[in-house]
Amino acid sequence: MVGRQGQGGGAGNKAGARRAGLDFPRPLTSVDIVIFTIRLEALHVLLVRRGHAEGEPFPDAQALPGGFVDVARDRDLEACARRKLAEKTGVVSPYLEQLGSWGSATRDPRGWSATHAYFALIPASAAETALAADAQWFPLYGAGVKPRLAFDHQEILQAAVQRLRNKVEYTSLPAYLMPEEFTLPELQRTYEIVLDRPLEKSAFRTRMLSADLIEPIDKMRKGPNRPAQLYRLKAAAAPVYFARTFNAPE
Amino acid sequence: MVGRQGQGGGAGNKAGARRAGLDFPRPLTSVDIVIFTIRLEALHVLLVRRGHAEGEPFPDAQALPGGFVDVARDRDLEACARRKLAEKTGVVSPYLEQLGSWGSATRDPRGWSATHAYFALIPASAAETALAADAQWFPLYGAGVKPRLAFDHQEILQAAVQRLRNKVEYTSLPAYLMPEEFTLPELQRTYEIVLDRPLEKSAFRTRMLSADLIEPIDKMRKGPNRPAQLYRLKAAAAPVYFARTFNAPE
DNA sequence: TGAATAGTGTCTTTCAGACAGTATTGG
DNA sequence: CCAATACTGTCTGAAAGACACTATTCA
């Protein structure tokens, strides 16, 4: 057993020879974000086209928005993620959740690298404006996306889709994909798009209305038929966890 | 908008001035593990006493087992976690799950650092043997532990306990805290210890037996009263997710 | 009036909670 | 026999699934 021994963020202690010194190679550290929205009745993810300067891996390929942590600018990982999200979409307060981290010697040809992945949900309304020039929405087919992705981003994306679909079964996450005002049928439609499966209207309404999540506003959505009650998210923006999933387990 | 622009593990593209170079400061990268077991009818976590060589932050404090990623030895983050776990406990194939990552400019006095936290469940039987000299089991009080912990490890530990308690409500995770052979009342007791709450025997048995998780073996646990059927985990070691939590939501 | 969608009510099913009751051991 | 713990059965209640029914708009 040779080598560094420190615990936590700690380095060197009892190995003696190499002690508290920090003069060993460090992995590259980045943050990537999987940003979802609903457009045209389908789940979309934001991708960014990579540059093609010399030394750039995966030139011109599509990739998740992200990049290296800037130790001078970023106070912490989440701040780094928020910065990148704002740069690409203009959105400043989305639903943002840590997804996991991927790190290995081989995922980046430039050397050992670890990325901290986040996933964000933003409303369709915010999804069109203030988009960066190199960013573009791509619809999801199954758990993936048409273009080949740089690095291990296909794997990260799949994990994000799986986590989203999974949590939608028993949480109120889709509410964060809605515009400010929405009707219950619209919310149900969003659930159905993400789950790719129809839900029962009656059970859906009961569940949503009995959760402390949305409140009716004094306004109706007019259409060519019976108007629908409009709702908005309650002030307490925390996601709600339901005690059961929507369907029986398979 | 200045600075590095790369996506993914990518660096520098269109900012022109600073391009594909990798000559910027990198955060320290470490892996920490929250290792749980059941001892003496209580949930315990493994802590390691930090060294006190010069330059060592938090000298002699207790900390989660872990340390810097060694780019020469560790193929990926999980391999790094498994290595550290084996070094401290001798256990090689526990239940191991990524917990999240914590990174900021201030969590380590030596500079910007990010740690990838894992959490592991090991059986009580494996918890006593082959323990490293500087490692020790500590019982949990609520979501924390008696001694003050180094770095932000108290926060990481709390997150781990919360995740464990939460998942125990609707998964078979406690099965990984059991020895090879166990009875249903023993498994129920483990659930109750983790949840700190009694469970209904009948519902518990029905749930466990109808899940494709355990199988009876041709052996009974003898005692001063009616013997109990012994079970073992089925070969497919994947955790089972139940459609409902044990109790109604509060 | 009819088409279309919003919203409600009713019956069934599933499964956890409560708890009583039976089974099997040692002393 | 009794104490103790393993295990089973039965009733109830909560919430989802299925689906029919009513309500309200526009054309």
Side-chain angles (χ1 to χ4, degrees):
Chain A
M1 198 164 86
V2 252
R4 305 185 293 284
Q5 279 292 332
Q7 285 90 35
N13 52 0
K14 67 159 177 276
R18 274 189 254 169
R19 13 137 326 278
L22 297 171
D23 52 341
F24 48 82
R26 302 181 180 190
L28 292 159
T29 301
S30 56
V31 168
D32 292 303
I33 319 179
V34 185
I35 308 169
F36 290 112
T37 200
I38 304 275
R39 295 170 80 231
L40 313 168
E41 298 271 293
L43 191 60
H44 281 66
V45 64
L46 190 70
L47 298 177
V48 170
R49 190 185 176 87
R50 291 185 55 79
H52 50 260
E54 52 146 335
E56 276 295 313
F58 303 97
D60 294 321
Q62 297 290 340
L64 296 172
F68 293 122
V69 167
D70 187 328
V71 301
R73 298 171 68 189
D74 300 316
R75 190 186 14 246
D76 55 36
L77 289 172
E78 189 177 312
C80 178
R82 287 189 185 279
R83 173 171 67 83
K84 287 166 198 300
L85 191 121
E87 282 172 7
K88 293 300 174 192
T89 68
V91 176
V92 295
S93 61
Y95 176 79
L96 185 67
E97 165 182 330
Q98 209 184 56
L99 177 63
S101 57
W102 279 256
S104 80
T106 53
R107 61 180 295 277
D108 188 317
R110 292 164 297 187
W112 223 108
S113 90
T115 194
H116 304 262
Y118 282 77
F119 97 76
L121 305 178
I122 69 175
S125 44
E128 312 292 341
T129 58
L131 215 57
D134 55 351
Q136 201 182 331
W137 291 105
F138 287 82
L140 276 155
Y141 298 96
V145 86
K146 271 281 176 57
R148 196 127 29 119
L149 298 187
F151 306 104
D152 49 6
H153 286 189
Q154 188 74 249
E155 190 184 333
I156 296 174
L157 173 60
Q158 276 176 11
V161 172
Q162 195 177 323
R163 171 101 133 236
L164 174 63
R165 292 231 167 93
N166 190 41
K167 285 189 96 163
V168 163
E169 295 277 1
Y170 60 94
T171 68
S172 63
L173 283 204
Y176 300 102
L177 293 165
M178 305 304 291
E180 242 196 267
E181 302 175 349
F182 54 88
T183 67
L184 274 179
E186 286 164 2
L187 180 59
Q188 181 175 347
R189 185 78 195 107
T190 298
Y191 269 85
E192 292 173 338
I193 289 169
V194 177
L195 291 175
D196 194 26
R197 171 180 101 219
L199 295 177
E200 280 308 309
K201 182 170 48 168
S202 155
F204 181 84
R205 296 177 69 93
T206 310
R207 175 185 281 207
M208 289 304 149
L209 290 175
S210 62
D212 188 38
L213 176 69
I214 59 178
E215 56 191 1
I217 60 177
D218 194 22
K219 220 156 124 192
M220 305 289 276
R221 167 89 73 223
K222 305 263 182 173
N225 40 40
R226 175 170 174 178
Q229 178 64 53
L230 277 166
Y231 293 85
R232 70 173 167 221
L233 271 184
K234 283 197 178 175
V240 173
Y241 287 72
F242 304 108
R244 303 192 193 176
T245 60
F246 267 112
N247 260 4
E250 42 265 45
Chain B
M1 200 164 85
V2 251
R4 305 185 295 284
Q5 279 291 330
Q7 285 91 34
N13 52 2
K14 68 160 178 278
R18 272 189 258 173
R19 15 142 319 282
L22 297 172
D23 51 341
F24 48 82
R26 302 179 180 191
L28 291 160
T29 302
S30 57
V31 167
D32 292 303
I33 320 181
V34 186
I35 308 170
F36 291 113
T37 200
I38 304 276
R39 293 169 84 231
L40 312 169
E41 298 272 293
L43 191 60
H44 281 66
V45 65
L46 191 69
L47 298 178
V48 169
R49 192 183 173 88
R50 293 185 52 80
H52 48 259
E54 54 147 333
E56 276 295 312
F58 303 96
D60 294 320
Q62 297 289 342
L64 296 172
F68 293 123
V69 168
D70 186 329
V71 301
R73 297 171 67 190
D74 300 316
R75 196 193 359 256
D76 55 37
L77 290 173
E78 190 178 309
C80 179
R82 287 187 185 279
R83 173 171 68 83
K84 287 165 198 302
L85 191 119
E87 283 172 5
K88 292 301 174 194
T89 67
V91 175
V92 295
S93 61
Y95 176 79
L96 185 67
E97 164 182 330
Q98 209 184 57
L99 176 64
S101 56
W102 278 258
S104 79
T106 54
R107 61 180 296 278
D108 188 318
R110 292 165 295 187
W112 224 108
S113 92
T115 194
H116 304 262
Y118 283 77
F119 95 78
L121 305 179
I122 71 176
S125 44
E128 311 293 340
T129 60
L131 214 58
D134 55 352
Q136 202 183 332
W137 291 107
F138 287 82
L140 276 155
Y141 298 94
V145 88
K146 272 277 176 58
R148 196 130 26 120
L149 298 186
F151 306 106
D152 49 5
H153 287 189
Q154 188 73 250
E155 189 185 331
I156 296 174
L157 173 59
Q158 275 177 11
V161 173
Q162 195 176 323
R163 172 102 133 235
L164 174 63
R165 292 230 166 93
N166 190 41
K167 286 189 96 163
V168 164
E169 296 277 1
Y170 61 92
T171 69
S172 63
L173 283 205
Y176 301 102
L177 292 166
M178 305 305 291
E180 188 133 2
E181 302 176 350
F182 54 89
T183 68
L184 275 179
E186 287 165 2
L187 180 59
Q188 181 175 347
R189 185 77 195 109
T190 299
Y191 268 86
E192 291 173 340
I193 288 168
V194 177
L195 290 175
D196 195 25
R197 172 180 101 219
L199 294 178
E200 279 308 310
K201 183 170 44 168
S202 151
F204 181 84
R205 297 178 67 93
T206 309
R207 176 184 279 207
M208 289 304 149
L209 290 175
S210 62
D212 187 37
L213 174 69
I214 59 179
E215 55 191 1
I217 61 179
D218 193 22
K219 220 157 123 193
M220 307 289 276
R221 168 90 72 226
K222 304 263 180 177
N225 41 38
R226 176 171 172 177
Q229 177 64 54
L230 278 166
Y231 294 84
R232 68 169 168 226
L233 271 185
K234 282 197 178 177
V240 173
Y241 286 72
F242 304 108
R244 303 193 192 172
T245 59
F246 268 110
N247 258 5
E250 44 266 46

